[in-house]
Amino acid sequence: MTTAAVARHRTAMSRSSLSRPLATAAADQLLAPGSSVFDYGCGRGDDLRHLQALGYAADGWDPAHRPHAERQPADVVNLGYVVNAIEHPGEREQALRGAWDLARQVLVVSARLTWDARNLAGRPLGDGLITRTGTFQKFYEQAELAAWIEQSLGVQPHAAAPGIFYVFRDPALAQQFLASRVYRYRPRIKIDPHDLYETHRDRLAPLLDFLNEHARPPRSGELPPGQQQAIQEAMGSIGRGLQLIRQVTDQAHWENVTAQRRAELLIYIALSRFGRRPRFSQLGTTLATDIRTLFGTYQSACEQADRLLVACGDPAMIMVTARSSKIGKQTPSALYVHRTALGELPPVLQVYEGCARVLTGTVEGANMIKLSVTQPQISYLHYPRFDRDAHPTLAAAVTVNLRKLTADWRDYSQSDNPPLLHRKEEFLSSHDPRRALYERLTRAEYRAGLYEHPERIGTLKGWQETLSAVGVTISGHRIMRGASATKAKVASSGQVGARAAADAR
Ligand SMILES: C[S@@+](CC[C@H](N)C(=O)[O-])C[C@H]1O[C@@H](n2cnc3c(N)ncnc32)[C@H](O)[C@@H]1O
């Protein structure tokens, strides 16, 4: 087949919801209300319709499907799965540059990854292959895609998710995005009863939130004007509002918030070493003020952050820190932590995990993170039924090897014997409200003798065999014995039958 016979237009598919790159950008708050979006290589235009329905000023161009549309600048430009479909490397780069030229704030570039191609048959052509439907597909490694974007545009892209990168026009916006990716943990705040505070609680809420997020009072202009005015009207001044908040809260809380915010900033600054660390003048005002308030100078913060980065590259330090972590479940080779508890990990381990996210971005659906202590490797695990099932099974895993700079995906959803979890409470924060329920079940499982052979229960089949050997079943988060186990079994198989019948309708 000559390249002229490649059916590029056929790569465009119909979409019933926003495409993953645009949904990711929306989740990352890059599509501010009212922003303009241009979809470069928009295919049949389904994303345009969804964006317009959401109230965005959206337009797009596609050489096959909307060839006469004008290519125009926009706040956000999307180049969604276009580069895979172009067989000439030079034209691929032209498309990337063409899209970048139109982006006023951010370009979202996405491409299919080599792991998508595992079961795809095709004939090799150039650096890709021709599929059975006659389309060309060039599949990328995550690191290869990042390097190609940077080489072509001369700007460092930031991984949003596997196969999705953001390229920011304004370095301050890029840094704001990176700083926002650090996991955040705040202790619960206790407010003492106070009549005046109660009267103005709602008006003071934005001030309390700002203090709690930044560990410092806002400067003039950092609160939205309406909110600032409401506080001034109620209290006379922002300073009086601050005084009242201090009066009804505990000093120890604010010391804790300061320590947390300092750690977040250090983690962000450590990770900003990948690529080029920004100059202080390239940071947005709020971020720069946080750093100056909590560290005195940017240089001092950078020195402390570099020490953190060096520690994170030391396997012995990772091992010792992981072993003494109060958060997460320990196994001989790793520390496992639920996503919601990551912000409570020691900073060295957060930087370790952050290094993997520099490469992959956010792995969709990953709710359990495995930090290996025997090799530089982080895995993002997807347990879709973590909350619902007492012993949820693994559906998919993305493993990042920090030495080889590779990201690999493995699907367990079709496996008849996937890994499964026990003792779910151990993955969670000590303050997590789910812990009590999970702990009760674990105690009952111990008493029933279900953990006597830990080597047998790590996968679904071994666990099911252990349950039937002991003569119990699990219903919800409760253990059922003997006759009640049999009853529950019958009841739950009845439920499954009823569900299957309902599904078939
Ligand atoms: C896989 S589709 C993706 C369509 C859409 N962005 C989406 O995500 O649904 C690839 C699209 O790239 C378009 N395309 C091919 N060559 C292009 C080029 N040089 N510049 C822009 N788009 C191109 C094709 O016409 C096709 O519609």
Side-chain angles (χ1 to χ4, degrees), residues 51 71 76 86 186 217 232 250 274 314 353 396 443 457 464:
L51 287 166
R71 280 174 262 185
V76 180
I86 304 176
R186 290 290 179 274
Q232 279 162 339
D250 194 0
F274 292 96
D314 176 354
E353 185 277 328
R443 281 195 297 273
I457 61 172
Q464 284 171 337

Side-chain angles (χ1 to χ4, degrees), residues 199-249:
T199 311
H200 299 301
R201 180 187 275 269
D202 289 346
R203 289 177 178 201
L204 287 169
L207 187 57
L208 182 72
D209 291 346
F210 190 98
L211 273 179
N212 214 30
E213 182 171 351
H214 298 275
R216 65 173 175 86
R219 284 210 188 156
S220 170
E222 283 189 305
L223 286 182
Q227 293 175 356
Q228 182 165 326
Q229 203 184 336
I231 298 167
Q232 279 162 339
E233 276 168 18
M235 303 298 308
S237 70
I238 296 287
R240 290 234 179 93
L242 287 168
Q243 246 174 15
L244 183 54
I245 288 174
R246 301 269 182 210
Q247 218 178 315
V248 297
T249 52

Side-chain angles (χ1 to χ4, degrees), residues 25 91 93 155 159 186 192 199 235 322 341 362 389 429 441 486 505:
E91 196 186 332
E93 197 170 316
V155 183
R186 290 290 179 274
D192 296 337
T199 311
M235 303 298 308
T362 304
D389 291 356
S429 151
L441 175 65
T486 321
R505 266 178 237 136

Side-chain angles (χ1 to χ4, degrees), residues 310-331:
V310 170
C312 159
D314 176 354
M317 184 61 94
I318 294 294
M319 172 71 95
V320 168
T321 316
R323 286 292 170 250
S324 52
S325 170
K326 291 195 190 87
I327 298 286
K329 178 172 187 161
Q330 308 274 351
T331 70

Side-chain angles (χ1 to χ4, degrees), residues 146-163:
W148 175 69
I149 296 170
E150 177 150 19
Q151 240 169 39
S152 308
L153 303 181
V155 183
Q156 188 194 355
H158 297 285

Side-chain angles (χ1 to χ4, degrees), residues 8-15 19 21 39-47 61-65 71 78-86 91-92 94-95 110 112 137:
R8 280 193 202 166
H9 60 285
R10 265 194 233 152
T11 56
M13 55 203 238
S14 298
R15 295 187 177 283
S19 62
D39 198 3
Y40 195 102
C42 61
R44 300 177 198 282
D46 288 343
D47 265 336
W61 168 81
D62 191 285
H65 300 278
R71 280 174 262 185
N78 179 45
L79 185 68
Y81 304 107
V82 169
V83 295
N84 297 113
I86 304 176
E91 196 186 332
R92 230 176 265 158
Q94 242 175 24
S110 51
R112 295 176 72 192
Q137 290 290 335

